[in-house]
Amino acid sequence: MGPPPPRIVRGRGHRVQDEHGRWLVDANNNFAVLALGHANAAVTDAVSAAARDGACFGLPTPWEGQLAEMVVARVSHAEQARFTNSGTEAVMTAVRLARALTGREKVLGIAGSYHGSSDVALAIKAGVDDPTRPDVVTVPLNDVDRLEATFAAHGSDLALVILDLLPNYAGFEPVTQAFLERTRQLCDEHGTLLAFDEVISFRLARGGLQSTTSVTPDLTVLGKLIGGGLPIGAVLGSEHTLRPLSPLSESPIESSGTFTGNPVSIRAGIACLTQYDDQQIDRLNSLGEALLDRLVGHLPPGWTVRGVGSLVRVMPPEGEGAGPARQAFWWAAHRRGFVLMPSGLMALSSPMSEEVVARLGEAVLESAEEVASMVRYNEGRE
Ligand code: PMP
């Protein structure tokens, strides 16, 4: 946002302070990372202790195994986890692994879905056939007919299908059970691997959003939350599926990184997940539902609000003016003392009280109304 963007110097709990000393309620939370808010005491202690003990080593630490066990215990299909430095790298690792296991190149994703900034991921986000990227094919969200047609055309070349179960940039609507089931069937018929990207959606349930469906992937990609605010990513799967990622396997594939599994990120992640239990998750999701309730039916005509648990997204009417309206909406909320994501997504954090969330709801309604009336004025309707 900008130029210039507001520059932040510190965060505490549910708020951030800018360089001019102004405190703002943070519903961005570093793009949904900070479910426990800023500078959580146990996370801060873990980070300080890890830094004091030496920030990185060229050998594994016991904590790496501990965090792996914690995430594996939550994700029902997983037996092992391999850490990376970001969600982007975890997706890259999943793609490389699927290609190695299948001997194929093509990856299928939902058009518009964001899976990080690798070339393959960005081709999925672009969502249009690109002759320079014959290794990527996309289908519109929840379009089972297109999914079937794509498998009919490319099934024997498909290494991997990657799905975010709640793809923000593809409209922030959940992937339907019918689409998921058909995807699983087609993957099984064609020997294609299925990965769920739960980099954002993992915060929504103890076992990730996948725990609310009956469909099981072969790989799960995590990031954000599991590093407690420090850089991280992870690929989870069965021992058999992840075997090529081990340097000890017969034909290993590359998955190294100087900082992967670094103890600062890992110990922060342990401190975060230890606190992020069922009770915290339920409370946070209830706050999100209250926010959604306040907004549904009260936004200006053409505006949309969608939400699942602690994630709620407000969108101006689609079309030419949507980009500028999103920007104006962001700044209108900022003027009222609230920070959203530029897409209009809000990710709540546990230090938020009901009262703070109620104020957030009012600020969102006022900001949307301000932008809508500006648009009406500009169009000569007011
Ligand atoms: N997948 C999803 C669903 C994401 O939302 C993101 C980041 N917003 C990524 C992958 C990439 O993660 P990172 O920014 O840590 O590389």
Side-chain angles (χ1 to χ4, degrees):
M1 279 299 155
R7 293 195 293 198
I8 301 302
V9 291
R10 63 178 56 80
R12 295 273 187 283
H14 67 276
R15 299 189 306 163
V16 290
Q17 189 180 35
D18 71 17
E19 61 186 333
H20 307 296
R22 183 182 180 212
W23 284 97
L24 302 148
V25 171
D26 189 11
N28 176 315
N29 279 305
N30 195 31
F31 298 95
V33 168
L34 300 166
L36 303 177
H38 295 276
N40 172 269
V43 172
T44 307
D45 287 349
V47 169
S48 316
R52 274 198 305 275
D53 287 338
C56 50
F57 311 107
L59 287 167
T61 67
W63 297 289
E64 207 174 321
Q66 198 183 328
L67 185 61
E69 275 168 21
M70 289 174 88
V71 291
V72 162
R74 289 182 181 220
V75 176
S76 64
H77 76 92
E79 294 171 355
Q80 292 189 340
R82 179 135 323 235
F83 292 110
T84 63
N85 297 310
S86 64
T88 294
E89 286 174 58
V91 170
M92 290 167 80
T93 304
V95 169
R96 196 176 310 121
L97 178 62
R99 285 176 169 167
L101 287 168
T102 59
R104 304 169 181 175
E105 278 295 306
K106 279 193 201 298
V107 177
L108 186 155
I110 293 170
S113 232
Y114 184 67
H115 297 286
S117 53
S118 68
D119 289 350
V120 166
L122 290 179
I124 294 173
K125 180 156 185 274
V128 285
D129 286 350
D130 179 350
T132 68
R133 293 232 55 110
D135 57 334
V136 174
V137 284
T138 60
V139 298
L141 177 62
N142 293 330
D143 190 333
V144 175
D145 292 342
R146 286 283 294 278
L147 177 75
E148 288 175 344
T150 306
F151 261 94
H154 303 290
S156 58
D157 298 327
L158 278 175
L160 181 73
V161 174
I162 184 158
L163 301 178
D164 176 347
L165 302 181
L166 185 62
N168 185 22
Y169 292 101
F172 200 65
E173 276 185 270
V175 178
T176 58
Q177 182 72 14
F179 187 90
L180 278 181
E181 280 174 13
R182 194 68 186 117
T183 305
R184 180 71 271 180
Q185 269 174 356
L186 289 165
C187 283
D188 290 344
E189 280 168 27
H190 292 84
T192 302
L193 269 77
L194 176 60
F196 288 170
D197 178 344
E198 295 235 44
V199 167
I200 288 192
S201 58
F202 193 58
R203 63 155 43 222
L204 295 171
R206 190 183 171 75
L209 200 50
Q210 63 186 272
S211 63
T212 64
T213 83
S214 57
V215 176
T216 307
D218 305 296
L219 296 168
T220 294
V221 177
L222 300 179
K224 297 200 191 254
L225 173 78
I226 67 160
L230 279 89
I232 203 157
V235 184
L236 282 65
S238 68
E239 191 278 331
H240 174 76
T241 311
L242 293 197
R243 192 173 298 152
L245 295 178
S246 164
L248 302 177
S249 77
E250 270 172 29
S251 42
I253 63 164
E254 197 65 56
S255 73
S256 58
T258 303
F259 295 105
T260 55
N262 80 77
V264 189
S265 294
I266 295 282
R267 289 171 74 172
I270 293 171
C272 172
L273 284 190
T274 304
Q275 295 171 80
Y276 200 59
D277 56 14
D278 287 335
Q279 209 186 332
Q280 289 271 10
I281 297 169
D282 289 350
R283 177 174 170 277
L284 213 51
N285 286 341
S286 304
L287 284 178
E289 283 150 22
L291 177 62
L292 183 63
D293 276 354
R294 179 66 190 97
L295 301 179
V296 170
H298 294 98
L299 286 161
W303 286 63
T304 322
V305 58
R306 298 197 180 112
V308 177
S310 61
L311 297 169
V312 177
R313 182 170 173 198
V314 171
M315 289 160 279
E318 278 176 27
E320 234 176 71
R326 259 198 299 274
Q327 284 240 353
F329 175 58
W330 191 92
W331 283 106
H334 176 262
R335 271 197 302 283
R336 289 171 172 81
F338 295 83
V339 182
L340 317 180
M341 287 181 230
S343 63
L345 184 62
M346 293 170 272
L348 304 187
S349 71
S350 59
M352 290 179 173
S353 62
E354 283 174 24
E355 188 260 334
V356 166
V357 175
R359 280 198 284 125
L360 172 62
E362 297 317 307
V364 163
L365 290 176
E366 284 175 27
S367 303
E369 190 44 55
E370 181 184 310
V371 175
S373 94
M374 189 178 75
V375 171
R376 286 196 297 270
Y377 179 81
N378 287 344
E379 290 173 351
R381 288 192 279 128
E382 202 169 77

